Amino acid sequence: MKPGKRKQHSYTIPVAEEPFRALLEAAPDAMVIVDDAGVIRLVNAQTEALFGYPRSELLGRPVEILVPQRFRAQHPGHRLGYSSNQQVRPMGADLELSGLRRDGAEFPVEISISPLQTPDGLLISAAVRDVSERKAAEARFRALLEAAPDAIVIVDDAGTIQLVNAQTEALFGYHREELLGRQVEVLVPERFHHHHPAHRHGYVDNRRVRPMGEGLDLHGLRKDGAEFPVEISLSPLETPDGTLVSAAIRDVSERKAAEKQLAELYEQQRHVALTLQRSLMGSPAPLPGMDTSSRYFPARQGPGVGGDWFDLITLGGGRVGVLIGDVMGRGLEAAAVMGQLRSAAHALAKTGMPPCQLMRALDAVVSELPDQLVTCCYLILDPDEGALTVCSAGHLPVLQVDPAGRTGRLPIPVSVPLGVGDVPHHETRLNVPAASVLALYTDGLVETPTSDIEEQIDALANALEKAVSDNPSLERAADSVLGTLLPDPQDYADDVTLLLARVPPAPLTTVSVLLPAEPISVGKGRRLLRHTLQEWQCEDLIDTACLLASELLSNAVHHACDPLRLRLRRTGDELNVEVSDGSPVLPQARIAAGDEESGRGLTLLDQLAASWGALPTREGKAVWFSLPLPGSDGSVGD
């Protein structure tokens, strides 16, 4: 062997090498495979990106090159201990682990280790994930925990205290070190110890956000032995390490005076829990003013993860977008493609892009991905007009339960899936009555190896009709549908996604008027707006609303064409003003010179409106802005 040359070992992988390497490259995490001596034998592109090394500098070197210097002395012992045990160890495994980049920067990681038996000996596969963002999110969560006004006690499913805040220390008289790792019953009077574990286990088995012990006389126990009456709100927290239960505890000795504050606190804690859950699970935020319910279950067979996704998007002016899609195939690659498309579709939809145009844009994205086919359906609902604009690329029929309780398929033309290419996607505009329930879903809910999919869609329609009729709540209706279609929820072979949305009624406080594209229309629109706001008792908004509406009407008169329409819309907490015209050209912001008399309209919108936007319409475009009503959050005036 020449000096300076490292000896290269050859290993035979127990599967076809090319598929194995392809799987390695498709993995979302950095994959490092070492032999029993700790020498790196295989890495993927994610390893290069994560650690900053080209793979040529890693192959054949000790894995300790990726470990911070202060841990290197102990690392071979841990590695040899694993080689003798050879058990799959999940990411984290209760250890605080760090990786070392080529530039010397350290970063927190989670590592999942698995043994690989080969004809040439034992290999060890390590999946390495950068958890810097999650650690930062945990730090933010702990800051929220400390900022909470009540005592917060978070326990695991065995009732062991995992986290408390400073308010817990003040309320119960303990230092937190005295509580962490102890059973939560240490905070409960002894006379309740016999029943408390059963109540706790009952909540874990049937967890939901709720005030604990409604109608019960609850007490806490301080370190000095003093009892005091408490009210407890429980919330489940879904984390990568399992389900935790958050208990918000308040001394209610003066409850009558603090009842309103308690309700506000409960909603705040519930919002924090749901926000954290959505952040971890990727669920879209609920649409204001629209009743929706969604369910997603990953497959219980095969690779598990898949490519289903759905999204709910607020588009302004009362309009909402509903999107559902399914990347064909399963496994990590399908999930990675799904993530790309969901992000792209959400960003495109927020621009107000029409469904057919959005579908063409997604088609271009999918066409650049090798061997990918995706079904997708996007609809835009305008409750004020009772109109639904839909485009479907190979997706399953949208079901509708009308207000009379009859279920049917919406008459939507279905084009080929995304990725086929060279086939146009067309959109359809339909009228849908208020209170109708729309159902979007993926094939995991209706497709089985032994049944016809059309028959299963009919079965879904029947189950949906009964569920909506029997359950005013869409949450209960969704559970009923899944209980009928999936009698064994532990044994479905594909991802299951169900999204229910109830068409809201048009607000009673809506005014719309057609105007000619002439200068006189600016004054007419302003007078109509002033008169309407006086009738709606929104005098505090008149000056700002008239100024901004004048800008939009002036722009439409000077740069657009008929038909010109002014629409005023008031909801429970905001005023929405919209000007639509016959020009498809969307407004562009520009910087006006100091001596120019125009060019500042969009700047005014940015400064004075709570939100604003522009979107294409059938006739041309619509530009809208919203102002909060006096008394709502962010209200104008006193």
Side-chain angles (χ1 to χ4, degrees):
M1 182 184 299
K2 293 181 179 180
K5 293 288 186 177
R6 288 193 298 270
K7 182 180 180 180
Q8 301 293 321
H9 294 279
S10 174
Y11 279 87
T12 302
I13 303 300
V15 290
E17 183 169 333
E18 288 307 317
F20 178 81
R21 292 182 181 274
L23 180 63
L24 200 69
E25 295 299 329
D29 297 321
M31 302 296 297
V32 181
I33 297 179
V34 303
D35 61 20
D36 55 1
V39 177
I40 299 173
R41 296 306 172 196
L42 281 175
V43 297
N44 61 358
Q46 287 78 358
T47 304
E48 297 178 289
L50 182 60
F51 288 94
Y53 287 92
R55 68 184 69 196
S56 59
E57 293 186 21
L58 293 175
L59 299 181
R61 300 187 68 179
V63 71
E64 281 75 21
I65 191 177
L66 306 178
V67 178
Q69 185 69 38
R70 65 183 186 278
F71 299 128
R72 291 183 181 177
Q74 297 85 9
H75 191 265
H78 292 309
R79 176 168 45 74
L80 292 174
Y82 177 81
S83 297
S84 62
N85 197 16
Q86 298 183 26
Q87 291 182 345
V88 175
R89 192 181 75 188
M91 282 196 171
D94 300 325
L95 296 177
E96 290 292 333
L97 304 176
S98 297
L100 181 67
R101 293 192 174 96
R102 188 186 189 196
D103 61 6
E106 294 187 17
F107 58 100
V109 297
E110 285 184 344
I111 303 177
S112 180
I113 300 178
S114 304
L116 294 175
Q117 295 291 345
T118 77
D120 298 315
L122 174 69
L123 296 182
I124 298 173
S125 170
V128 185
R129 178 176 299 172
D130 185 347
V131 294
S132 302
E133 292 186 2
R134 200 188 79 189
K135 293 292 185 182
E138 290 176 355
R140 290 193 295 270
F141 175 72
R142 289 177 182 271
L144 285 174
L145 204 66
E146 293 302 323
D150 288 330
I152 304 294
V153 179
I154 297 180
V155 304
D156 60 21
D157 56 4
T160 304
I161 299 174
Q162 302 295 323
L163 282 173
V164 298
N165 62 356
Q167 288 76 5
T168 303
E169 297 178 290
L171 183 60
F172 288 94
Y174 287 93
H175 295 296
R176 69 183 65 196
E177 293 79 10
E178 298 178 86
L179 293 175
L180 299 181
R182 299 183 66 179
Q183 290 298 108
V184 72
E185 281 76 20
V186 70
L187 305 177
V188 177
E190 187 173 353
R191 67 182 187 278
F192 298 122
H193 283 192
H194 179 70
H195 301 288
H196 192 264
H199 292 311
R200 175 163 48 77
H201 288 305
Y203 177 79
V204 171
D205 293 338
N206 187 25
R207 53 187 179 269
R208 59 185 177 88
V209 178
R210 70 166 187 253
M212 179 178 175
E214 295 174 342
L216 298 178
D217 186 18
L218 303 178
H219 289 79
L221 181 67
R222 292 193 175 96
K223 184 180 180 181
D224 61 6
E227 295 186 13
F228 59 102
V230 297
E231 186 173 77
I232 304 177
S233 294
L234 296 180
S235 302
L237 298 176
E238 300 296 339
T239 77
D241 298 321
T243 301
L244 302 179
V245 178
S246 171
I249 308 172
R250 173 176 289 184
D251 182 345
V252 291
S253 301
E254 301 177 359
R255 179 183 175 186
K256 289 186 183 285
E259 188 171 0
K260 182 179 179 180
Q261 296 176 355
L262 174 64
E264 293 173 351
L265 175 67
Y266 170 70
E267 289 301 320
Q268 176 187 352
Q269 297 301 325
R270 180 176 182 273
H271 175 72
V272 170
L274 293 178
T275 300
L276 179 60
Q277 185 181 43
R278 285 195 297 269
S279 176
L280 294 174
M281 304 299 291
S283 298
L287 294 172
M290 187 170 181
D291 186 14
T292 63
S293 179
S294 61
R295 298 290 186 272
Y296 169 73
F297 301 109
R300 296 301 182 95
Q301 300 176 9
V305 295
D308 288 11
W309 91 90
F310 66 92
D311 206 353
L312 303 170
I313 308 109
T314 302
L315 301 177
R319 302 175 184 88
V320 296
V322 181
L323 183 72
I324 192 167
D326 184 1
V327 179
M328 295 185 183
R330 303 220 314 274
L332 297 174
E333 185 177 2
V337 172
M338 176 274 291
Q340 297 177 54
L341 294 180
R342 187 177 188 274
S343 299
H346 185 91
L348 293 170
K350 291 294 287 185
T351 68
M353 183 177 291
C356 65
Q357 189 176 341
L358 182 142
M359 215 61 72
R360 287 195 294 270
L362 289 184
D363 198 8
V365 174
V366 176
S367 296
E368 294 183 356
L369 302 174
D371 303 322
Q372 290 292 341
L373 288 177
V374 179
T375 68
C376 186
C377 181
Y378 178 50
L379 59 86
I380 294 178
L381 174 65
D382 187 345
D384 291 5
E385 297 185 355
L388 194 67
T389 307
V390 192
C391 184
S392 177
H395 204 74
L396 296 166
V398 178
L399 300 181
Q400 175 191 8
V401 183
D402 66 22
R406 298 182 298 267
T407 303
R409 306 183 188 191
L410 289 182
I412 303 169
V414 179
S415 62
V416 298
L418 303 176
V420 173
D422 299 325
V423 178
H425 302 283
H426 300 287
E427 67 182 35
T428 302
R429 184 179 174 88
L430 305 169
N431 293 323
V432 291
S436 297
V437 175
L438 303 176
L440 296 90
Y441 50 95
T442 55
D443 55 7
L445 184 60
V446 294
E447 190 174 41
T448 67
T450 58
S451 62
D452 179 74
I453 192 169
E454 292 295 325
E455 294 178 355
Q456 287 297 105
I457 294 175
D458 290 340
L460 170 60
N462 293 334
L464 181 65
E465 183 173 311
K466 184 177 186 306
V468 172
S469 174
D470 294 344
N471 301 282
S473 164
L474 288 188
E475 288 292 319
R476 292 195 182 97
D479 290 337
S480 176
V481 169
L482 292 175
T484 302
L485 272 292
L486 300 174
D488 185 359
Q490 303 299 319
D491 191 34
Y492 40 87
D494 198 359
D495 290 5
V496 174
T497 301
L498 174 65
L499 175 61
L500 302 181
R502 196 186 308 274
V503 179
L508 298 177
T509 49
T510 299
V511 173
S512 180
V513 62
L514 289 174
L515 299 168
E518 300 175 0
I520 194 174
S521 295
V522 179
K524 287 182 178 180
R526 190 165 50 240
R527 286 190 292 274
L528 172 66
L529 178 56
R530 182 180 297 274
H531 176 72
T532 302
L533 292 183
Q534 288 173 342
E535 286 189 343
W536 289 350
Q537 298 181 347
C538 297
E539 289 85 354
D540 291 348
L541 300 180
I542 288 178
D543 291 341
T544 302
C546 286
L547 173 62
L548 298 181
S550 296
E551 291 291 337
L552 297 187
L553 288 167
S554 298
N555 286 342
V557 167
H558 288 109
H559 303 294
C561 57
D562 290 331
L564 186 66
R565 184 177 68 172
L566 173 65
R567 184 168 76 168
L568 315 178
R569 185 177 189 272
R570 188 186 71 175
T571 64
D573 56 3
E574 73 175 14
L575 168 72
N576 186 271
V577 179
E578 177 180 287
V579 174
S580 58
D581 57 58
S583 171
V585 181
L586 298 179
Q588 299 291 329
R590 68 183 182 89
I591 300 177
D595 57 351
E596 286 189 87
E597 297 183 359
S598 62
R600 298 176 178 84
L602 299 185
T603 302
L604 284 174
L605 287 175
D606 275 332
Q607 294 295 321
L608 300 179
S611 60
W612 73 276
L615 66 158
T617 65
R618 287 184 302 166
E619 297 83 8
K621 69 173 178 297
V623 185
W624 59 270
F625 67 86
S626 64
L627 297 171
L629 295 180
S632 64
D633 291 342
S635 59
V636 176
D638 295 333

